[in-house]
């Protein structure tokens, strides 16, 4: 599910207040469209050694997803793609060196991996604490006290008050700060996006796991 699934019994229960859970549930309902969702996203990444700006396009339908990202940093253009079709996931990235080839990693799995962008995180099961405030046209929710050590220590999510669509996710991972801003949400997408197309990765070294 996109924003948050219905809370289930766990060994460690997250302390998410009811009014915040209600907003997350409405966002989840809006973003979980049977015909799929496509999001146009701008991306900003700031690290100690460099900063970069880019664009993303994210396709989602049920548990399946596909993301393509292009970023410019340090005078170079980087490209990444990641997909999950229910049986396998793949991650593609271009090489930053002319001496190395692009890489494509394909992993057999029935469960999609969590990602640094916060798109497939079950917030209620991942963070113990959440605080919400209203700022302008959005609800701003700050998550902290992570349960899952693989996730960022803190994460901020902005949800539009009128449509309950996701508007922004901000995370801090080590020395990197990543901000994703959703500029457009479109309902409906083709199932072809959730099928790995090897023709897109002709120049990549393929690793299968």
């Amino acid at each position: 599910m996109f924003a948050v699934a219905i809370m289930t019994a766990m060994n460690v229960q997250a302390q998410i207040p009811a009014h915040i859970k209600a907003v997350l549930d409405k966002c989840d309902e809006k973003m979980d469209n049977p015909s799929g969702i496509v999001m146009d996203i701008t991306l900003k990444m700031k690290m100690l050694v460099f900063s970069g700006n880019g664009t993303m396009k994210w396709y989602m339908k049920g548990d399946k997803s596909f993301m393509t990202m292009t970023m410019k940093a340090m005078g170079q253009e980087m490209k990444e793609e990641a997909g999950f079709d229910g049986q396998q996931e793949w991650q593609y990235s271009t090489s930053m060196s002319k001496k190395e080839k692009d890489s494509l990693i394909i992993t057999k799995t029935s469960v999609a991996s969590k990602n640094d962008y916060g798109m497939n995180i079950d917030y209620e099961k991942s963070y113990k604490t959440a605080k919400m405030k209203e700022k302008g046209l959005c609800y701003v929710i700050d998550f902290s006290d992570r349960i899952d050590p693989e996730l960022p220590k803190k994460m901020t999510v902005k949800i539009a008050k009128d449509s309950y669509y996701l508007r922004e996710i901000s995370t801090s991972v080590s020395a990197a700060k990543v901000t994703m801003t959703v500029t457009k949400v479109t309902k409906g997408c083709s199932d072809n996006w959730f099928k790995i197309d090897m023709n897109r990765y002709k120049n990549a070294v393929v690793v299968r796991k």
Side-chain angles (χ1 to χ4, degrees):
M1 303 293 285
F2 179 71
V4 66
I6 298 175
M7 182 174 281
T8 57
M10 302 185 301
N11 292 329
V12 181
Q13 288 287 347
Q15 302 300 311
I16 305 296
H19 68 292
I20 299 179
K21 183 179 182 301
V23 172
L24 291 170
D25 284 345
K26 288 182 180 179
C27 179
D28 188 50
E29 182 181 345
K30 285 287 186 178
M31 302 302 291
D32 189 25
N33 188 280
S35 60
I37 286 285
V38 183
M39 292 187 296
D40 292 329
I41 300 166
T42 59
L43 177 67
K44 293 183 178 181
M45 182 179 294
K46 187 175 182 180
M47 302 181 69
L48 291 176
V49 293
F50 76 90
S51 298
N53 297 311
T55 58
M56 300 175 69
K57 211 170 184 72
W58 210 298
Y59 303 80
M60 294 180 294
K61 183 183 291 187
D63 293 331
K64 299 178 181 180
S65 65
F66 177 76
M67 177 275 291
T68 179
M69 178 190 76
T70 302
M71 174 174 283
K72 292 183 178 180
M74 301 177 65
Q76 297 188 59
E77 185 173 271
M78 300 176 289
K79 185 175 182 179
E80 291 187 7
E81 292 188 354
F84 175 68
D85 62 8
Q87 297 180 328
Q88 63 184 355
E89 63 180 6
W90 60 96
Q91 296 176 322
Y92 165 80
S93 59
T94 55
S95 172
M96 294 292 290
S97 171
K98 294 181 179 180
K99 297 181 181 180
E100 298 178 359
K101 291 187 176 182
D102 301 343
S103 67
L104 174 64
I105 301 174
I106 303 173
T107 305
K108 290 287 185 181
T109 178
S110 59
V111 180
S113 301
K114 296 182 178 68
N115 58 72
D116 292 338
Y117 305 109
M119 280 297 186
N120 60 345
I121 294 175
D122 187 341
Y123 294 104
E124 290 185 20
K125 296 180 182 180
S126 302
Y127 292 93
K128 297 179 182 178
T129 304
K131 296 181 180 180
M132 184 173 72
K133 60 185 178 182
E134 295 185 30
K135 186 175 181 180
L137 301 176
C138 292
Y139 296 107
V140 181
I141 306 173
D142 294 313
F143 294 93
S144 59
D145 298 329
R146 62 185 177 183
I147 298 171
D148 188 339
E150 294 183 3
L151 295 176
K153 292 182 178 179
K154 296 182 180 180
M155 183 173 291
T156 299
V157 176
K158 293 183 180 181
I159 297 173
K161 290 192 288 187
D162 57 350
S163 65
Y164 286 94
Y165 280 151
L166 178 78
R167 286 304 177 212
E168 188 175 284
I169 295 178
S170 298
T171 65
S172 293
V173 182
S174 299
K177 183 177 181 180
V178 179
T179 301
M180 292 176 21
T181 303
V182 180
T183 58
K184 183 180 179 181
V185 178
T186 305
K187 294 182 179 180
C189 60
S190 170
D191 288 334
N192 290 332
W193 287 110
F194 312 115
K195 300 175 183 178
I196 185 169
D197 182 1
M198 297 302 292
N199 289 323
R200 297 173 67 92
Y201 315 119
K202 290 181 178 179
N203 298 322
V205 175
V206 180
V207 176
R208 298 182 182 271
K209 297 182 177 180

